Amino acid sequence: MLEQKRADARRNYERVLAVAEEQVAAHGSSASLEQIARIAEVGSATVRRHFPTRQALLEAVSHKRIEALCARAHDLTGAGDGRSALLEWLTEVVAYCVRARGLAVALSYDDTESGPYHNACSVALEEAGNPLLRRAIGEGTVAEDVTVSELISLIVGIALATEHHPDAAAKAQRLFRLSVAGLNPQDMPQN
């Protein structure tokens, strides 16, 4: 009997997560938890049991994307020069955040749920990006006091600021390039 309950709970979790992925893709981070429950054909309490907060739901929906970004950071760790590898990875993080509705919110810091400046998505990306950043800092191509956490916050801000722009991807990439180059015209990359 206990094994059957566990199997049912696992099926409910998988069904709720599949529906949540569809709803977040369609409606972003404001996807209705009640709508997710209706489509998954479970009660609202079941959704909340598996995902007690909206942040927990967004983190679960974003899990595969985060894993892919972490793997990409690992792949780039020894590639090219440190700054180029770091910027290539961060550019991919920007693209994911813009393309994957809800991911920027999943990476946002919320000090009301799991402690100040902590969430599983950001922690995973920070751990994955640290070797890239340390290498760039060691080569003297990135300031010593920059943290991956700050870079993720910058990307989240850009993604959130551009999510309703007609060409959000292009606008987000331009803002990211601007933030990397600064305001000095000789340092501005073209595009």
Side-chain angles (χ1 to χ4, degrees), residues 152-168:
I152 299 297
S153 293
L154 176 68
I155 290 169
V156 166
I158 290 169
L160 292 174
T162 60
E163 74 180 347
H164 298 294
H165 191 277
D167 189 356

Side-chain angles (χ1 to χ4, degrees), residues 1 4 22-23 32 39 50-52 66 70 88 92 111 115-116 119 151 189:
M1 183 68 160
Q4 178 61 37
E22 293 170 4
Q23 290 297 300
S32 166
I39 295 170
H50 291 296
F51 307 105
I66 296 298
C70 291
E88 183 175 337
E92 291 180 24
D111 63 4
N119 70 52
L151 296 172

